[in-house]
Amino acid sequence: MQARWSMKLQEMVMMVPATSVYPVTGSWMTRGHSSTVGATTIIGLETGKVLDTEVKSKKCKSCQYWATQDNNSERYQQWEAGHPMECTRNHEGSSGSMQSASARDMFQRSVERHNLRYSKFIGDGDTNSFKTVFDSKPYGEEKLVEKIECVGHIQKRMGNRLRALKKSLKGQVLSDGKPIGGQRRLTDAVCDKLQTYYGNAIRGNKGDLVEMRKAVWAVFFHKASTDASPTHNFCSVQWCPYLQAQRDGRLDTFTHSGNLAPAIMEAIKPIFKDLAKTELLKKCLQGYTQNANESLNSTIWKYCPKTKNHGPRTVKTALAIAVSVFNDGATCFGAMLEAMDIRPGVFATDFFTRRDTARISNAQRQAKSASLEERRARRQERLIHNGNCAAREGQPYLAGGH
């Protein structure tokens, strides 16, 4: 199975130009960042195929067992002589540094293994992986790796910053004498909407830095607009109700709704300033994301559930299967059977084909705008409900807080 995957990997590498952009991400075997096993992957942007993988482990069960045995015994000496080639421990340091170390190793071996240089690095900013790769200079001083931001993770910064601000100002009053939360204030639903609008502003203006920055500020001024002081100069008629009413001659009956109080806008303005900086938006011009990596991660842990404990060998096997399915679809199982001299029958072959067809059909259905809007509406409804409950009930549960 792994031999076939390696062979397919070599075939794919020959198709990838040296100027490709590569999303890199890591995932841990257990939830949280205290896991002893982690997997990191690199996916080629043009091909959408997995190019390299690395599994890091902080522990070796065999080492732990023999550490309690007699070091002078003959059995121990035999084990010690042959174990270095079988030891599963290949990482020193914290669990959080596994992704950084794996990314560095994969970049450093790309020329030797694939005759390929990874020119750009799409990262999520959750770890210092890019800094580790950049400092290692895998291709020398003449070819430095460039960082490209994942739009999805940049979008999350808006929501995270707004929620952190709301939390930090809880119990305080703003310049208008009111708290930051409440009706027409900074609720969780509003934070989620602003995060979505910010992401749309970036994705809708790929390749145009000026328009992208203009669209980000359009979100701010649109939410600050009132009937007495409309500020829609940066808005687009495609989505702005005010400009649509102006176009249709309905301004005399138009009323602003959904806008935020001036004190709220004053409080969140520094966040918009930071997230609208030219230096940050430049890294989002291509509109790249790590969605493919996240999809692969979910496939890995489907074969190796996080609800159970697994060793590095099990994780490597699950990773090999997940990569094969991710690259070639369910039909890869037929090739695996043939590699073991088992010829798949008609029903098995038909099952593999139907499974791939169903997966593609489901992906196309979920990608439709109607499905996206439906999921977004459900999320908004859930956030509004949770916000109303929190306002009504206060904090009924808090560890050590009562």
Side-chain angles (χ1 to χ4, degrees), residues 12 31 65 89 108 113 176 187 189 199 202 242 289 305 362:
M12 292 185 298
R31 303 188 188 281
Y65 169 77
R89 180 175 182 175
Q108 289 180 341
R113 178 173 292 189
D176 58 357
T187 62
I202 295 176
Y242 179 86
T289 70
N362 184 55

Side-chain angles (χ1 to χ4, degrees), residues 37-38 48 91 101 113 121 123 136 141-142 144 266 285 326 352 357 393:
V37 182
H91 179 71
R113 178 173 292 189
F121 182 113
S136 69
E141 296 287 348
E142 73 282 358
L144 299 178
E266 180 183 348
L285 281 176
F326 186 86
F352 299 147
T357 302
E393 301 172 359

Side-chain angles (χ1 to χ4, degrees), residues 24-138:
V24 183
T25 191
S27 184
W28 287 262
M29 203 281 294
T30 55
R31 303 188 188 281
H33 295 164
S34 60
S35 176
T36 59
V37 182
T40 305
T41 57
I42 290 182
I43 297 180
L45 188 68
E46 283 83 359
T47 63
K49 305 291 186 179
V50 180
L51 298 179
D52 203 354
T53 65
E54 179 71 14
V55 174
K56 292 292 186 183
S57 174
K58 294 169 57 179
K59 290 185 179 180
C60 174
K61 291 293 185 181
S62 183
C63 290
Q64 290 179 339
Y65 169 77
W66 285 101
T68 63
Q69 305 302 308
D70 183 9
N71 294 359
N72 298 320
S73 66
E74 182 178 351
R75 291 180 62 230
Y76 180 88
Q77 300 299 328
Q78 292 176 349
W79 168 83
E80 188 179 34
H83 181 67
M85 297 297 295
E86 301 176 352
C87 185
T88 59
R89 180 175 182 175
N90 60 356
H91 179 71
E92 297 288 343
S94 66
S95 299
S97 64
M98 287 180 178
Q99 180 177 333
S100 303
S102 297
R104 179 198 60 216
D105 293 347
M106 289 188 290
F107 270 73
Q108 289 180 341
R109 70 192 181 206
S110 67
V111 175
E112 178 183 358
R113 178 173 292 189
H114 309 313
N115 193 28
L116 186 68
R117 292 189 301 185
Y118 304 149
S119 59
K120 298 179 182 179
F121 182 113
I122 301 178
D124 52 22
D126 293 344
T127 67
N128 63 342
S129 298
F130 174 71
K131 183 178 185 304
T132 302
V133 171
F134 185 85
D135 292 344
S136 69
K137 294 182 173 55

Side-chain angles (χ1 to χ4, degrees), residues 317-380:
T317 302
L319 178 60
I321 296 173
V323 167
S324 298
V325 173
F326 186 86
N327 284 348
D328 298 332
T331 53
C332 71
F333 291 116
M336 294 178 188
L337 292 173
E338 291 178 355
M340 295 183 286
D341 293 329
I342 302 175
R343 185 174 181 179
V346 176
F347 292 108
T349 303
D350 180 61
F351 169 76
F352 299 147
T353 303
R354 285 189 289 108
R355 188 167 182 176
D356 282 338
T357 302
R359 176 177 54 81
I360 294 173
S361 176
N362 184 55
Q364 291 174 342
R365 178 182 59 80
Q366 291 186 341
K368 291 182 178 179
S369 58
S371 297
L372 294 173
E373 290 297 331
E374 183 180 351
R375 292 199 299 273
R376 188 175 294 119
R378 287 199 302 267
R379 174 175 169 80
Q380 288 292 334

